[in-house]
Amino acid sequence: LQDIFYRIHTIIGELIPATNLFIALSDSDSDLVPFPYYVDEFDAPPEPRLLSDRGLTQRVIRTGEAVLMTPEMREKRLENGEQIIGSICLDWLGVPLVESGKTIGAMVIQSYSGDVRYSSADTELLQFVSSQVASAIVRKGDADRILHLALHDGLTGLPNRTLLQYRALHSIAVAQRR
């Protein structure tokens, strides 16, 4: 997924100034929100957070609605108890990643500079892109699960004969080349 996230960041960066972008995915099994892709010029990737926390990212995931926060809106949001994780940015735009009617995460871009300001037009564009991103994430996850099922025993989770044969043939090919 890291390659997909990097390519997504590159494409979005061509459409909207998006130096700072992160993707948060909702893990329904643990009620956590990890950040598998996080690029920010000031902050390191945060630890996974609870979905029930009052952060803006979690709000986007819980409600399935985009959030655009500008300096004019910041004080009101902070008064309502919402939290900004990391350095205070000038503009913050988060859109839900929705696949088959279910919110699987959020994609967020941030701006620390007055040179880059986000608008409702940017929100619409990012929402369109996010639907494609959500589909790609789900497809990649499904492909990984299918591959795991094909190469591992369903009961024990241990590698099966097919994986053993594949690795043996690969090792033989590497040995022959050397």
Side-chain angles (χ1 to χ4, degrees):
L1 279 176
Q2 288 301 313
D3 291 337
I4 292 172
F5 293 150
Y6 177 76
R7 281 189 256 149
I8 289 165
H9 190 175
T10 303
I11 292 167
I12 291 172
E14 293 173 5
L15 303 172
I16 304 171
T19 304
N20 307 293
L21 179 141
F22 66 87
I23 294 176
L25 298 177
S26 176
D27 183 359
S28 57
D29 295 335
S30 64
D31 200 33
L32 287 176
V33 177
F35 299 84
Y37 185 81
Y38 195 93
V39 174
D40 189 276
E41 56 192 304
F42 294 110
D43 298 320
E47 292 297 317
R49 309 250 181 209
L50 289 172
L51 184 59
S52 58
D53 284 354
R54 304 256 319 153
L56 289 174
T57 304
Q58 290 91 327
R59 178 174 185 238
V60 170
I61 295 171
R62 281 192 313 269
T63 64
E65 297 175 0
V67 173
L68 172 60
M69 185 185 67
T70 62
E72 300 79 31
M73 300 172 190
R74 182 180 304 119
E75 292 307 316
K76 181 179 178 187
R77 290 203 179 277
L78 294 177
E79 287 172 6
N80 290 338
E82 291 182 315
Q83 302 168 347
I84 299 171
I85 299 166
S87 301
I88 302 294
C89 57
L90 187 63
D91 281 4
W92 189 97
L93 173 57
V95 296
L97 296 170
V98 179
E99 172 63 21
S100 300
K102 181 181 177 197
T103 303
I104 62 166
M107 183 168 42
V108 176
I109 56 176
Q110 303 178 98
S111 169
Y112 295 100
S113 163
D115 298 339
V116 177
R117 301 298 309 270
Y118 300 124
S119 66
S120 57
D122 296 323
T123 304
E124 289 177 28
L125 179 60
L126 201 59
Q127 281 184 305
F128 172 75
V129 172
S130 75
S131 64
Q132 309 307 312
V133 170
S135 294
I137 291 170
V138 169
R139 279 195 310 272
K140 178 64 176 149
D142 290 346
D144 289 347
R145 277 188 291 284
I146 290 169
L147 182 62
H148 182 81
L149 289 171
L151 300 176
H152 294 80
D153 180 73
L155 181 61
T156 64
L158 295 173
N160 64 16
R161 183 183 313 166
T162 305
L163 182 57
L164 174 67
Q165 289 172 337
Y166 170 76
R167 287 187 178 166
L169 290 173
H170 178 72
S171 296
I172 291 169
V174 168
Q176 286 174 341
R177 275 184 270 156
R178 290 185 184 163

